[in-house]
Amino acid sequence: MPTLHPFHRAAVLVSLLVLAVSARSAEQPVRINQIQVIGTHNSYHVGFAPAAAGLMKQFAPKVFAGLDYSHPPLTQQLDDGVRQFELDVYADSKGGLYAHPAITGLIAGAGLPSDPPIAAPGVMDKPGFKVMHVQDIDQRSRCQPFAACLTEIRQWSKAHPDHVPVFVLIETKQSPLELPTDLPVQFKSVTPESFTPAVFDALDAEITSVFPRNEIITPDDVRGSHATLDAAVRHGSWPTLADARGKVMFLMDQKSVGQIYLKGHPSLSGRILFTNATPGQSDAAFVECNGCSAEKNASLVKQGYLVRTRTDEPGNSKDRSRPNAMLASGAQILSTDYPAGEPDADGYEVGLPNAAAVRCNPVNKPMECDIQPAR
């Protein structure tokens, strides 16, 4: 074999180095919009204690049927592979607004034995956001107040520092209670506080009082040098999965308060939550599309958006085709009332293949995608 001139040897080495660098640069890192996880709907929900259940069955059986469900504690759900929670949050700036739910008085008036307290002593009297489903009727939560729910998630996160991001969907509740007009009992409900820009400032502050800023994926992290969030996600600026491990991301459930949250914070500058936005708007990065078709979800995913959809509705878990369609649609967050380990009476449950907590997205994953370990 002829001996190469030193100059030629150097040229060959440079060529090999260029090829190696090119091969590495061709490997696309997995980003957090290129994964898929399972979430739970009303993740905190406990349901009714015995006396309240008996009262509801008697006076509002249809309402009771829609509210009679529960999930295990958040820690157990995380251990079981759930990576998205939905928390319903009520503002309580002075404290005590929800400390004495009307259903407690109705139970006493009916001569029924008292149920256990809805929270630990003093918790409902202190200022701060509360987590519950329906004021005065359905207030029992696996964690109370909101800060306690966040603390539970963070404790699990610190014990599992390599976890894929946990998505926390927040629904801000502020509507008066609408009850059936034919109830045979008198009932007076409190009116929740409205979510103003100042209340949202307090919500952001409560979140960052539990999670340090470097443990949260925020709109500023995603926007980077782009003019808007929408431009950033359309150009693939989501954090890599490697950079996002051990972190949480907060998402807004309803569109109605998005503009309030945006006041003074264009394109969510300085904010903690991602709004449930309209594609094409400056704050668009996350889109909730609960009842959308697989085709609609796939279209949003391909445009770069993070999509949350639902695989089922309470009491209508017989349609086995929707979960499979939603899994194939590429929606990154698949919310269900029946995650793996929590089947309904007929055995219906929704999970990822091989009981994984995360998988590569079937619609937009990079060519080489292997999430190891899948947790």
Side-chain angles (χ1 to χ4, degrees), residues 262-299:
L262 278 164
K263 286 183 179 179
H265 299 270
S267 192
L268 294 172
S269 175
R271 281 302 198 189
I272 298 298
L273 278 68
F274 289 79
T275 48
N276 177 5
T278 300
Q281 296 297 308
S282 65
D283 59 320
F286 166 66
V287 179
E288 190 174 86
C289 211
N290 287 332
C292 289
S293 66
E295 292 76 18
K296 175 65 174 178
N297 286 336
S299 173

Side-chain angles (χ1 to χ4, degrees), residues 37 39-43 84-87 167 169 171 251-253 276 286-292 297 300-301 305-311 322 326 330-336:
V37 298
T40 49
H41 169 241
N42 291 342
S43 313
Q84 178 257 306
F85 292 128
E86 180 185 345
L87 302 178
F167 302 94
L169 185 72
E171 181 175 354
L251 313 169
M252 185 177 289
D253 178 77
N276 177 5
F286 166 66
V287 179
E288 190 174 86
C289 211
N290 287 332
C292 289
N297 286 336
L300 292 168
V301 169
Y305 298 112
L306 187 74
V307 179
R308 185 257 198 175
T309 196
R310 290 192 63 178
T311 62
R322 181 165 176 84
M326 294 303 100
Q332 293 92 343
I333 303 171
L334 304 167
S335 179
T336 178

Side-chain angles (χ1 to χ4, degrees), residues 195-205 207-208 213 216-223 229 250 252 257-275 283:
F195 274 78
T196 63
V199 172
F200 274 124
D201 289 345
L203 181 66
D204 280 359
I207 291 172
T208 55
R213 172 65 180 75
I216 306 172
I217 300 167
T218 70
D220 289 339
D221 295 327
V222 176
R223 190 187 316 99
L229 266 177
F250 293 90
M252 185 177 289
V257 294
Q259 292 304 309
I260 299 172
Y261 191 67
L262 278 164
K263 286 183 179 179
H265 299 270
S267 192
L268 294 172
S269 175
R271 281 302 198 189
I272 298 298
L273 278 68
F274 289 79
T275 48
D283 59 320

Side-chain angles (χ1 to χ4, degrees), residues 15-44:
S15 298
L16 291 174
L17 181 60
V18 168
L19 288 172
V21 171
S22 299
R24 285 197 298 271
S25 63
E27 295 175 359
Q28 297 289 327
V30 180
R31 298 187 178 275
I32 63 172
N33 68 317
Q34 296 174 315
I35 64 174
Q36 200 168 50
V37 298
I38 298 295
T40 49
H41 169 241
N42 291 342
S43 313
Y44 60 89

